[in-house]
Amino acid sequence: MLPEEFENRMRRLLGTEYPAFAESYDRPPYQALRLNPFKADRQAFLAQAAFSLHAVPWAEDGFYYGREDFPGRHPYHEAGLYYIQEPSAMAPAEYIEAKPGERILDLCAAPGGKSTQIAGKMKGEGILVCNEIHPARARILSENIERMGICNAIVTNESPERLSEYFPEYFDKILVDAPCSGEGMFRKNETALTEWSLEHVKACADRQDEILSCAAAMLRPGGRLVYSTCTFAPEENEGSISRFLKRFPDFALVPAEKKAGMTAGHPEWVTDAAEHIGDTIRLFPHKLQGEGHFLAVMQKKDDGRGRSNTKVGNVKRASKADCKAFAAFCEENFRKPVSEKPSVPVSFGMKKISEGIYLMFGDQLYLAPEDTPSLQGLKALRPGLHLGTNKKNRFEPSHALALFLDQNAVCRSYHFSGDREKARAYISGEAFPAEGEKGWYLITVDGYSIGWGKLSGGMMKNHYPKGLRRKL
């Protein structure tokens, strides 16, 4: 049952389209996944995937899957080959047009779908700051960054106001997937339905104004800002953008190509609409295969000043002593790239392991992107790629490192090739008998890394994290 006030408003706004809109709530929602370009070759995955897939028209790596499919219960999910994501939610990150080497902020990032999508475009180069104000959601965000094998992401748990003080005009691009009344998710999220009210819509719109003002302060001149919501409410969509452009005349809307089924924003739905508000984009469930969304692309006027490093110092690097145990681990477990021999592949993992900045947080060693700013005073859950733990006289590799590495990077690996039941048993925490040289092994399923094992005495000890173990 849709809220009566919501129905009345949508009937007034949509007019003759309202019956088709209302009928869409009688259909089940569409399901989709997005391939991870770090892990999955598109053609190889499509050839071997046991799912019924067809392309999402507005997302390069997005695919609908069938109702008979359960990709969340497949070992490929734990290997980070894909992210299960509502199809309309894939649109905003595409319009960021992320490129390698940029500084990008996902300001309201949990649970991580859009952050991991942006990371795939960055190809491990540049700095991606993924922020979430709520601690529990920030931890979920960090786990998804880890699962997808992302090396250049910094996960923070801060308010937009705090970040804006710390990063003035620092980022090339910012995504604000704003907290909203969630009207577009009524078909999928019962909580959004039960919590809805006109007062909640107004409160969300006020908060969106505050968040957008913080984003404006963090964007460099000439930079791109993408704003999105999963609501139909004009106050939170065309209204939020119109109010923002009035407060910040150095920003302008960028005309963005509308993909199949997308429609223009509606200036007639708000008072005092900004010029060109029709260049914003709406996604309606009765016009495409996805839920309700809104997005706007804006650019800050380029005055030639470029990015600023004001108040952003250099991060404190780990000492050689801090890295000694890890260096010994690398010497024992990693293959050395040999460029003179083209037949020996130099994996993505090995290439990046030799670059970046090493950081110590307690006994935890991280590899941060080059030019990582000082994080002192910020709540940083993940300052880059977690490499592992310095223990007494030894180094224990992290699960994040396993998911980051290609099988060609390591000296020893154990493959569950075509035997996914054994892979499922490993993910549930089971040890298993194995033969081979004593030491650390990268465990893979069909060649994709899913974790570590340590072989000794004919048994492979399971190092899949206890907190992530589950029956698939």
Side-chain angles (χ1 to χ4, degrees):
M1 294 291 292
L2 296 173
E4 183 178 359
E5 289 178 306
F6 169 78
E7 286 191 291
N8 290 338
R9 185 242 280 154
M10 296 307 297
R11 187 178 287 110
R12 184 180 71 254
L13 294 178
L14 292 175
T16 57
E17 285 189 31
Y18 181 76
F21 172 80
E23 192 272 333
S24 72
Y25 285 88
D26 296 330
R27 299 193 299 267
Y30 290 92
Q31 305 172 105
L33 57 83
R34 181 175 41 76
L35 295 187
N36 180 1
F38 288 142
K39 297 287 188 75
D41 175 81
R42 175 195 290 260
Q43 296 306 318
F45 177 81
L46 293 176
Q48 71 185 125
F51 315 130
S52 175
L53 302 175
H54 65 279
V56 174
W58 49 83
E60 182 181 10
D61 295 313
F63 294 89
Y64 298 99
Y65 60 86
R67 306 209 172 278
E68 70 282 0
D69 297 321
F70 298 94
R73 293 165 54 185
H74 195 287
Y76 285 173
H77 179 270
E78 309 312 302
L81 264 67
Y82 46 76
Y83 190 103
I84 296 173
Q85 188 174 16
E86 195 282 311
S88 291
M90 298 179 188
E94 292 289 319
Y95 285 89
I96 276 284
E97 296 184 355
K99 295 179 176 60
E102 293 180 324
R103 297 176 184 173
I104 300 180
L105 168 65
D106 186 355
L107 186 52
C108 312
K114 296 173 179 68
S115 286
T116 56
Q117 190 173 356
I118 291 169
K121 308 285 188 183
M122 297 178 74
K123 300 180 180 179
E125 299 176 17
I127 297 173
L128 173 61
V129 176
C130 313
N131 182 69
E132 173 56 46
I133 191 171
H134 299 289
R137 285 171 56 81
R139 288 192 290 274
I140 294 170
L141 167 64
S142 186
E143 289 174 1
N144 280 320
I145 293 291
E146 173 180 286
R147 182 173 63 85
M148 302 296 274
I150 295 166
C151 63
N152 62 322
I154 297 167
V155 179
T156 57
N157 173 213
E158 290 288 353
S159 68
E161 291 80 5
R162 176 77 180 96
L163 283 184
S164 67
E165 295 172 0
Y166 201 83
F167 292 109
E169 297 189 334
Y170 181 80
F171 294 100
D172 299 305
K173 293 172 180 175
I174 299 177
L175 174 64
V176 176
D177 183 45
C180 68
S181 56
E183 296 173 1
M185 294 293 122
F186 281 174
R187 190 162 58 163
K188 292 191 66 175
N189 187 340
E190 188 173 337
T191 301
L193 186 60
T194 57
E195 291 182 350
W196 186 89
S197 69
L198 292 177
E199 293 75 19
H200 184 46
V201 169
K202 176 63 168 63
C204 288
D206 290 342
R207 181 57 179 148
Q208 288 154 9
D209 288 350
E210 296 169 357
I211 293 171
L212 277 170
S213 294
C214 294
M218 289 186 277
L219 190 68
R220 69 161 174 85
R224 171 174 285 226
L225 171 61
V226 174
Y227 172 82
S228 65
T229 71
C230 57
T231 189
F232 303 113
E235 301 95 315
E236 302 179 66
N237 295 334
E238 293 93 345
S240 284
I241 297 304
S242 295
R243 296 190 300 273
F244 174 77
L245 293 173
K246 181 173 284 190
R247 295 196 310 275
F248 296 94
D250 55 337
F251 279 78
L253 281 162
V254 176
E257 179 188 359
K258 295 172 180 64
K259 306 292 186 180
M262 295 180 179
T263 58
H266 288 262
E268 73 277 13
W269 288 359
V270 294
T271 58
D272 199 15
E275 187 178 10
H276 305 303
I277 201 70
D279 286 334
T280 60
I281 295 175
R282 278 185 172 267
L283 291 79
F284 283 105
H286 64 293
K287 290 181 174 290
L288 45 71
Q289 295 181 347
E291 303 305 306
H293 258 69
F294 171 88
L295 67 92
V297 182
M298 293 172 284
Q299 186 168 13
K300 193 173 188 178
K301 182 180 179 181
D302 190 352
D303 59 10
R305 287 182 291 121
R307 296 188 300 203
S308 169
N309 286 323
T310 306
K311 296 179 67 176
V312 181
N314 294 323
V315 71
K316 184 179 179 181
R317 296 170 182 254
S319 67
K320 287 186 177 180
D322 290 331
C323 300
K324 184 178 179 181
F326 177 63
F329 175 85
C330 292
E331 184 68 25
E332 180 182 347
N333 294 285
F334 286 169
R335 293 180 180 176
K336 296 177 177 60
V338 183
S339 58
E340 305 83 42
K341 297 181 179 179
S343 61
V344 180
V346 181
S347 77
F348 174 78
M350 282 299 295
K351 178 177 181 290
K352 291 297 172 184
I353 287 295
S354 63
E355 300 171 4
I357 301 169
Y358 291 94
L359 309 178
M360 283 298 297
F361 279 69
D363 59 357
Q364 305 300 308
L365 184 65
Y366 289 82
L367 183 70
E370 288 285 357
D371 300 321
T372 291
S374 171
L375 302 174
Q376 187 173 1
L378 289 179
K379 289 180 281 188
L381 276 66
R382 180 174 294 272
L385 175 65
H386 184 207
L387 298 175
T389 307
N390 275 341
K391 298 198 171 183
K392 187 175 181 180
N393 300 321
R394 65 185 177 89
F395 181 84
E396 186 163 300
S398 71
H399 187 59
L401 179 59
L403 292 174
F404 169 72
L405 290 170
D406 182 275
Q407 63 177 335
N408 296 311
V410 295
C411 298
R412 294 177 293 274
S413 55
Y414 188 94
H415 308 295
F416 296 118
S417 296
D419 193 342
R420 290 165 194 162
E421 289 309 310
K422 288 185 178 179
R424 289 183 171 94
Y426 167 79
I427 290 166
S428 72
E430 293 183 18
F432 55 90
E435 296 182 359
E437 183 182 2
K438 179 180 178 182
W440 288 101
Y441 283 72
L442 187 68
I443 310 298
T444 73
V445 56
D446 296 338
Y448 304 112
S449 60
I450 54 172
W452 293 107
K454 197 170 187 182
L455 184 60
S456 180
M459 286 296 295
M460 186 74 75
K461 183 179 179 181
N462 193 316
H463 280 261
Y464 201 84
K466 292 181 179 179
L468 297 179
R469 293 176 182 177
R470 67 188 185 110
K471 296 283 187 182
L472 295 181

